[in-house]
Amino acid sequence: MEEVVEILSKERILVLMGGTSAEREVSLRSGKAVLSALLTLGYPAYALDYNHSAIDQILIDKPDLVFLALHGQNGEDGTVQGLLDSLDIAYTGSGLTSSVLCMDKVLSKKLFKYEGIPTAGYKILKKKDLIDSDAIHTLKEEIGLPMVIKAATQGSSIGTYIVRNEEDILSAINNAFLYSHEVLAEEFIDGKELTVALLGNEQPEVLPIIEITSQNEFYDYESKYTQGMFEHIIPARIDRISEENIINISKQVYELMNCKGFARIDFMLDKNGYPYVLEVNTIPGMTELSLVPDAARAAGMSFEELVERIVRLALKK
C-alpha cells in the first residue's frame, strides 16, 4: 500500500524591502536575509522592492502575510502599516499608531517624560527657533555641552551629531533639518551604549542585553553597517541591579508604545549606573551585522528560528 504523506501548506509571505528612505540599502540587506530564511523554512515567499508598482502587485497577489523589512521613513513610520490595515493584510511587527510614536523621536520623548520613563533632557527645535540671534547660546545654556543633535524622524543614527563646541551647534542643527522638519537637542550621556531586543506581543521575551562599542565617536551609520567598526558585547558588562532595571524599563516601554512582534530599545547607562531610554526601533535591522539576530543567537535561537517566531507572532496579532 502506498504511503500517504500529509503536506502542510504554509502561508504565502511577501517580504517588503528597499523603499525610498535613507536606509534603503540596509533594508535591501535585511529583506534578502529574511527572504533566504523563509525559503529555507519552506514558505512560498517572495520579495518586492517597495514603490507604487509594488502596491499594485500587493493588491493582485493578496499574500497571507507581509514581512516588513523596511527601515526609516515611508516604511517604519506607520505609512505602510496603515496601507496594509486598509487592505486587511496581516504584517509583521507593530501597528500604525505604535509605528508613528516610535519613529518620531519628539513624540516618543514627550510620552517618555509624561509616563516617567528615564530619558535624557531635551529641547525640541523648529526652524523658526533659529531666527533669534541668541538662540544657539541659549540652547547651550539649557542643554550644556557636549550635546546630541538628532533629526526627529530618522533611524540608523542618520542626521545625528555629537556637538562639543558652541560654534558647531548651528551647522549640526542645519544638517539635521535636511532630514526632518523637527530636531531634538539632547543632553549628552557619558557611559555605556546598550540595546535590548524584545520578542512577543502582550508578554514579550527579553533577549540578552547587548553592549555596543564603536570605532567612531558613537554607534553611527558607518559603524552599524561596516564589519570591524563595532563590537556587540554579550552579555553586557553591567551589574545585576542595572540589568534588572533595564529589563523592567524595557518591558514598560514595549507595553507603553504598544509594540508587537519584536522591537529593539536603545539605552545609555551613565557612569553612576542610571539608565536613559534613547529610542524604540519597531523594525530593527535583520542583516548579518544587526543587533536583534545577535541577541537571538545569544539566547540560543538561529536566524531561521527568529524569523519563524516573528511570523507566528504576526499571525497571532
Side-chain angles (χ1 to χ4, degrees):
M1 182 175 180
E2 188 175 342
E3 184 180 356
V4 177
V5 179
E6 182 182 5
I7 300 176
L8 298 177
S9 63
K10 288 198 172 187
E11 292 83 5
R12 291 174 61 251
I13 301 179
L14 163 62
V15 180
L16 271 189
M17 59 184 187
T20 59
S21 81
E23 298 177 72
R24 171 180 170 78
E25 292 306 316
V26 180
S27 173
L28 290 170
R29 287 162 59 181
S30 287
K32 288 173 183 176
V34 168
L35 177 62
S36 177
L38 289 169
L39 293 173
T40 299
L41 290 164
Y43 286 96
Y46 65 107
L48 285 176
D49 192 340
Y50 183 61
N51 52 37
H52 292 300
S53 62
I55 296 173
D56 295 334
Q57 195 64 46
I58 293 169
L59 289 168
I60 294 169
D61 292 348
K62 294 194 180 300
D64 298 310
L65 177 72
V66 173
F67 197 114
L68 292 175
L70 295 165
H71 305 313
Q73 289 182 316
N74 300 319
E76 198 170 354
D77 59 359
T79 53
V80 176
Q81 290 79 2
L83 170 68
L84 294 173
D85 283 339
S86 68
L87 299 176
D88 198 26
I89 295 175
Y91 54 89
T92 57
S94 299
L96 187 157
T97 303
S98 176
S99 300
V100 171
L101 288 174
C102 293
M103 187 68 189
D104 191 321
K105 294 178 178 62
V106 167
L107 294 177
S108 295
K109 278 284 193 181
K110 289 179 177 180
L111 196 51
F112 293 159
K113 185 175 181 180
Y114 181 80
E115 293 290 337
I117 302 294
T119 191
Y122 67 97
K123 184 175 178 62
I124 301 164
L125 302 173
K126 299 180 185 293
K127 288 185 178 179
K128 63 181 179 61
D129 297 327
L130 302 180
I131 296 174
D132 185 346
S133 59
D134 293 327
I136 297 303
H137 181 73
T138 301
L139 181 65
K140 189 201 80 168
E141 293 301 310
E142 291 180 0
I143 301 296
L145 286 172
M147 71 173 67
V148 183
I149 301 297
K150 294 180 177 178
T153 54
Q154 292 291 325
S156 290
S157 300
I158 292 170
T160 297
Y161 311 92
I162 295 177
V163 180
R164 300 186 180 277
N165 303 302
E166 183 173 351
E167 58 267 26
D168 297 328
I169 295 174
L170 182 58
S171 62
I173 292 172
N174 285 332
N175 286 337
F177 272 127
L178 296 176
Y179 297 99
S180 176
H181 68 281
E182 287 186 312
V183 167
L184 272 180
E186 276 187 345
E187 292 178 356
F188 175 79
I189 307 299
D190 187 14
K192 294 181 184 292
E193 189 166 359
L194 307 171
T195 194
V196 184
L198 297 95
L199 190 60
N201 290 335
E202 277 66 40
Q203 295 181 316
E205 173 186 357
V206 179
L207 300 182
I209 299 171
I210 299 178
E211 177 184 346
I212 304 163
T213 64
S214 170
Q215 295 293 321
N216 289 344
E217 187 174 22
F218 68 104
Y219 194 49
D220 60 7
Y221 186 90
E222 181 187 31
S223 301
K224 284 177 167 72
Y225 305 114
T226 306
Q227 187 69 56
M229 291 289 293
F230 63 87
E231 187 178 1
H232 297 167
I233 301 170
I234 313 172
R237 298 170 296 185
I238 57 177
D239 59 50
R240 183 178 294 275
I241 293 175
S242 295
E243 180 182 12
E244 291 176 354
N245 196 13
I246 288 169
I247 287 172
N248 289 334
I249 294 171
S250 297
K251 290 179 178 178
Q252 185 181 356
V253 170
Y254 197 87
E255 180 179 359
L256 170 66
M257 307 304 271
N258 197 28
C259 296
K260 294 290 186 291
F262 72 129
R264 203 190 76 233
I265 303 173
D266 296 336
F267 286 83
M268 288 299 300
L269 185 70
D270 74 12
K271 294 187 175 180
N272 295 317
Y274 191 80
Y276 296 84
V277 176
L278 298 179
E279 61 183 76
V280 183
N281 303 271
T282 53
I283 308 182
M286 294 288 281
T287 75
E288 70 281 2
L289 303 179
S290 295
L291 289 155
V292 172
D294 272 1
R297 195 176 301 113
M301 196 183 314
S302 70
F303 186 77
E304 288 76 17
E305 289 170 329
L306 171 63
V307 169
E308 179 77 79
R309 287 277 298 275
I310 294 169
V311 166
R312 292 295 121 198
L313 287 164
L315 294 169
K316 287 179 183 177
K317 281 194 301 183

